[in-house]
């Protein structure tokens, strides 16, 4: 028997959208209804909880969304939820709507807000990691990362056609905020000559080596993937151009096209598993935890850990990238 009533949950998406969020909303909704729990969809993230943009969902409300990118619930980064007054309003909404617990789908900022809110008002909250950056401690993968990675690889494959035909050096900037997971793994998958990532300062020195030993000698094409948090492609290209004005250099910043599109099968399955696990965790009286996946097993990670610790980049993966780029 549950220590608290679990008759109705609220679900929201917050922070940057990520492909697979809809699959997670669908799984949360259906798993809750399967367990006789009502579902209230909260629109525009925490803002919708404050301003009461809420609609009850039944199973049909989440039909035909599993293959769509973005989030049907809309999303936002909410300044008001950072204030005590904002959180009080959000709690008042939960009480008046009869919402007993929340499932929040998002990233670091989403869980930081959730942790504070849960502590202040003793609200059960479970998080689902949805971000293309894959930068959350405690989970091997976040929803949206695999799709974004595949999108980047598809783009770089296309850029390579021009790079090869014109014998150019391309700097391709990818997203990831302060993390280099998208950059490193897309570099491996697309066979790029180098990856500049924030986690390894040495990757910049390796770029000089690439220019001197590879591009300069044979004057062939090269693709360097630059994480947005690793210095930026424009700056890298500017520096190399100043040193080697004879090279034909181009910059391509992939931008938000990395965040859109139909989710991959991997992300749909991950989102479905995590959505069901979130409801099971609430039924199991878990609170203030993020659902993660480690070695293909679902795990519960306390918000405190998911937020506090940095996810480590695997040395062996960095090694693979370096060995293969000679
Ligand atoms: O966190 C996801 C992400 O796409 C980051 O990779 C990027 O730095 C940021 O969001 C961009 O945010 P916005 O869409 O607000 O420009």
């Amino acid at each position: 028997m549950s220590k608290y009533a679990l008759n109705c949950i609220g679900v929201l998406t917050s922070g940057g959208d990520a492909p697979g969020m809809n699959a997670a909303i669908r799984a949360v909704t259906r798993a809750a209804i399967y367990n006789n729990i009502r579902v209230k969809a909260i629109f525009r993230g925490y803002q919708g909880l404050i301003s009461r943009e809420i609609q009850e969902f039944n199973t049909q409300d989440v039909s035909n969304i599993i293959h769509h990118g973005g989030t049907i619930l809309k999303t936002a980064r909410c300044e008001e939820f950072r204030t005590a007054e904002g959180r009080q309003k959000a709690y008042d909404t939960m009480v008046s709507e009869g919402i007993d617990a929340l499932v929040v789908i998002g990233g670091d900022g989403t869980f930081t807000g959730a942790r504070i809110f849960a502590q202040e008002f003793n609200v059960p909250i479970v998080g689902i990691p949805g971000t293309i950056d894959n930068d959350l401690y405690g989970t091997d993968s976040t929803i949206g990362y695999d799709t974004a990675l595949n999108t980047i690889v598809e783009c770089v494959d296309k850029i390579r056609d021009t790079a090869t035909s014109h014998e150019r050096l391309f700097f391709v900037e990818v997203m990831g905020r302060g993390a280099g997971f998208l950059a490193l793994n897309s570099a491996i998958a697309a066979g790029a000559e180098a990856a500049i990532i924030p986690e390894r300062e040495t990757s910049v020195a390796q770029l000089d080596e690439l220019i001197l030993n590879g591009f300069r000698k044979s004057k062939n094409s090269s693709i360097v993937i630059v994480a947005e948090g690793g210095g930026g492609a424009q700056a890298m290209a500017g520096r190399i151009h100043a040193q080697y004005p004879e090279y034909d250099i181009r910059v391509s910043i992939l931008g938000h096209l990395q965040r859109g599109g139909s989710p991959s099968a991997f992300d749909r399955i991950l989102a479905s598993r995590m959505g069901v696990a979130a409801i099971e965790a609430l039924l199991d009286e878990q609170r203030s935890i993020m659902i993660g996946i480690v070695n293909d097993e679902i795990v519960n990670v306390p918000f405190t850990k998911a937020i506090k610790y940095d996810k480590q980049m695997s040395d062996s993966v960095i090694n693979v990238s370096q060995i293969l780029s000679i």
Side-chain angles (χ1 to χ4, degrees):
M1 188 64 188
S2 197
K3 275 191 221 125
Y4 53 85
L6 195 57
N7 300 315
C8 177
I9 60 128
V11 59
L12 61 81
T13 49
S14 163
D17 64 297
M21 278 184 163
N22 283 326
I25 295 162
R26 173 180 180 269
V28 167
T29 302
R30 295 209 167 155
I33 293 171
Y34 179 85
N35 285 288
N36 299 315
I37 301 167
R38 292 168 66 201
V39 177
K40 297 222 172 162
I42 300 156
F43 292 83
R44 297 183 179 79
Y46 293 120
Q47 189 54 53
L49 196 56
I50 292 169
S51 50
R52 303 189 181 207
E53 295 178 71
I54 292 171
Q55 180 195 325
E56 180 144 4
F57 264 14
N58 59 38
T59 55
Q60 293 95 299
D61 288 307
V62 291
S63 293
N64 291 323
I65 63 166
I66 195 167
H67 57 302
H68 288 308
T71 159
I72 60 162
L73 297 183
K74 316 287 182 197
T75 186
R77 296 190 175 102
C78 177
E79 281 307 313
E80 204 179 346
F81 197 67
R82 291 176 194 270
T83 67
E85 296 76 25
R87 292 192 295 275
Q88 179 64 56
K89 282 188 204 163
Y91 181 68
D92 294 344
T93 303
M94 283 188 70
V95 173
S96 65
E97 290 280 341
I99 298 171
D100 303 310
L102 290 177
V103 176
V104 297
I105 305 165
D108 208 42
T110 305
F111 301 152
T112 303
R115 192 185 68 83
I116 298 167
F117 187 53
Q119 237 174 16
E120 280 174 349
F121 296 99
N122 197 22
V123 176
I125 307 183
V126 168
I128 296 179
T131 164
I132 63 164
D133 301 338
N134 199 29
D135 58 350
L136 282 163
Y137 176 89
T139 185
D140 290 345
S141 199
T142 57
I143 296 166
Y145 170 65
D146 181 69
T147 306
L149 197 53
N150 280 293
T151 302
I152 294 168
V153 171
E154 208 183 309
C155 292
V156 175
D157 286 349
K158 288 181 174 150
I159 288 171
R160 193 177 280 288
D161 290 345
T162 301
T164 312
S165 304
H166 286 263
E167 298 181 288
R168 281 178 179 164
L169 170 58
F170 263 89
F171 288 87
V172 181
E173 183 175 305
V174 302
M175 281 187 168
R177 210 176 283 272
F181 296 99
L182 282 172
L184 179 66
N185 286 307
S186 65
I188 293 174
E193 279 65 29
I196 311 288
I197 54 172
E199 289 85 352
R200 293 290 184 280
E201 282 171 16
T202 51
S203 58
V204 177
Q206 276 149 16
L207 177 61
D208 286 303
E209 216 174 285
L210 164 82
I211 306 287
L212 289 169
N213 298 330
F215 197 78
R216 202 170 190 196
K217 278 188 190 144
S218 57
K219 178 99 175 38
N220 50 18
S221 69
S222 282
I223 292 181
V224 176
I225 309 283
V226 187
E228 62 179 351
Q234 205 74 54
M236 290 290 157
R239 187 171 70 81
I240 298 299
H241 177 69
Q243 266 177 286
Y244 310 102
E246 68 274 26
Y247 296 154
D248 198 3
I249 297 176
R250 290 291 186 281
V251 172
S252 189
I253 297 172
L254 299 187
H256 286 80
L257 67 80
Q258 296 161 89
R259 229 160 72 187
S262 181
S264 65
F266 180 90
D267 276 331
R268 295 182 200 192
I269 295 165
L270 182 66
S272 300
R273 290 180 70 185
M274 286 182 162
V276 171
I279 296 302
E280 285 172 352
L282 284 172
L283 285 166
D284 194 28
E285 296 174 12
Q286 304 278 334
R287 42 169 72 203
S288 291
I289 53 130
M290 175 192 84
I291 303 295
I293 191 154
V294 175
N295 297 330
D296 204 35
E297 292 293 331
I298 292 289
V299 293
N300 296 340
V301 188
F303 278 152
T304 43
K305 280 193 177 173
I307 295 161
K308 187 173 163 197
Y309 297 120
D310 283 336
K311 181 157 159 179
Q312 292 305 305
M313 184 144 280
S314 151
D315 283 331
S316 69
V317 178
I318 294 177
N319 203 26
V320 166
S321 161
Q322 284 167 1
I323 290 171
L324 299 184
S325 65
I326 55 169

